[in-house]
Amino acid sequence: MPGSNHIAPTGTLADAGGHKLHLNIQGNGSPCVIFENGSGDFSFIWSLVQPAIAEITKTVSYDRAGYAWSEPGPTPRTSKQICFELHTALINAGIHPPYILVGQSFGGFLVRNFARYYPKEVAGMVLVEAIQEDQKIFMGSDKPMRIRDFAKGRVAPATQTFFTAPPDTSTATVTLNTEIDPLFNKFPDSIQKMQVWAQSQPHFIPTVQAEMDWSPEDVADMYTHTGQPDYMLGNMPLIVLTRGKGGFDGRADSLQLEKERLESQEALTHLSANSKHIIDMNSGHNIHVEDPAAVIAAIQEVFMAVTKHTALN
């Protein structure tokens, strides 16, 4: 589908089970740090964080199936399917465990699932403003809702271990959607151009919608199994990074919503017996962009705890 507006991938394409995922691999060493994006975000959203971590170990940011340079994957987009594809692509790219997983927002939910599906391969975790299964968020309305409340009780099908994306026979010129979040003012022009290109690709909106269509089922499943051993993280080093203010100012129920938000984020620390909660007063939801130094420091701390087999301070 490359046209006149095409931007070359920043990394390599690895087989994820018939279709290919785009992996941006930087640095050398072990354990490898894997970055998982929030909903609607691309691999380069980590470009203010990844290079610093790549100075101490191997790192991988990537695009989930259907995002940017990655080929579309099968539906439904269950967490197990998404994690299988990432795991397969990592192995095929020669990137072996142990892994330290770093997930932001929806990506935080995904890395928890990755650790559940591949528990022996995950050595540490950093959750950056991660979705918690009982947390209320704004979902297109003025009333905060729990994602799990949108679940329909659907049963996840078996993981599709081989999928070939149909050939793209479209000859239409891609019209660029040039409206980007002011957040991207923190990035150089090259990244801003990538954002415009990636969010303009025809697969992008259907991909995001497919992820959001299924995610309530996975969130509900995680809520149902709260506290069960398979859904916990044992003693692995875990840092939970949370923004200082939840953005509820001006609402009559702002104090209650803020209390619930902080309680749900604190609950994430209970996933591991070796955890730490850091509240970042200098940032909003996108800490990895607004205050990347805080994310870098958290990853470095988890990395040291993993490599030295020590408890977090």
Side-chain angles (χ1 to χ4, degrees), residues 48-206:
L48 301 180
V49 173
Q50 186 176 3
I53 304 304
E55 292 180 4
I56 62 171
T57 193
K58 182 173 287 185
T59 65
V60 180
S61 58
Y62 86 108
D63 295 293
R64 292 192 294 274
Y67 282 85
W69 301 280
S70 292
E71 294 176 340
T75 55
R77 301 303 294 160
T78 66
S79 66
K80 196 164 191 176
Q81 183 69 44
I82 292 171
C83 292
F84 167 81
E85 292 169 5
L86 171 60
H87 184 260
T88 303
L90 290 173
I91 298 303
N92 285 331
I95 300 164
H96 300 291
Y99 305 125
I100 292 174
L101 305 179
V102 182
Q104 190 264 344
S105 193
F106 176 60
F109 179 77
L110 289 175
V111 298
R112 288 175 59 193
N113 280 294
F114 190 102
R116 177 158 60 96
Y117 302 134
Y118 308 101
K120 295 180 180 179
E121 302 186 10
V122 182
M125 188 177 294
V126 178
L127 297 176
V128 184
E129 268 289 286
I131 294 297
Q132 195 267 352
E133 51 269 32
D134 202 37
Q135 187 173 340
K136 291 180 180 178
I137 63 171
F138 290 106
M139 300 178 67
S141 71
D142 185 52
K143 183 181 179 181
M145 304 285 288
R146 291 183 175 91
I147 296 175
R148 62 182 173 83
D149 289 341
F150 292 87
K152 302 172 184 175
R154 292 171 287 181
V155 177
T159 301
Q160 296 188 52
T161 58
F162 187 85
F163 175 82
T164 303
D168 187 353
T169 57
S170 173
T171 57
T173 302
V174 173
T175 302
L176 294 181
N177 171 14
T178 58
E179 292 186 19
I180 59 175
D181 194 298
L183 191 71
F184 282 88
N185 292 335
K186 294 182 177 291
F187 291 99
D189 287 347
S190 59
I191 298 295
Q192 295 185 36
K193 289 177 180 177
M194 286 182 194
Q195 176 68 23
V196 168
W197 172 80
Q199 71 184 17
S200 302
Q201 298 311 300
H203 295 305
F204 173 56
I205 297 299

Side-chain angles (χ1 to χ4, degrees), residues 30-31 100 237 274 300-311:
S30 180
I100 292 174
N274 184 15
Q300 290 172 332
E301 188 171 350
V302 167
F303 180 83
M304 291 299 292
V306 169
T307 55
K308 294 185 178 298
H309 305 285
T310 57

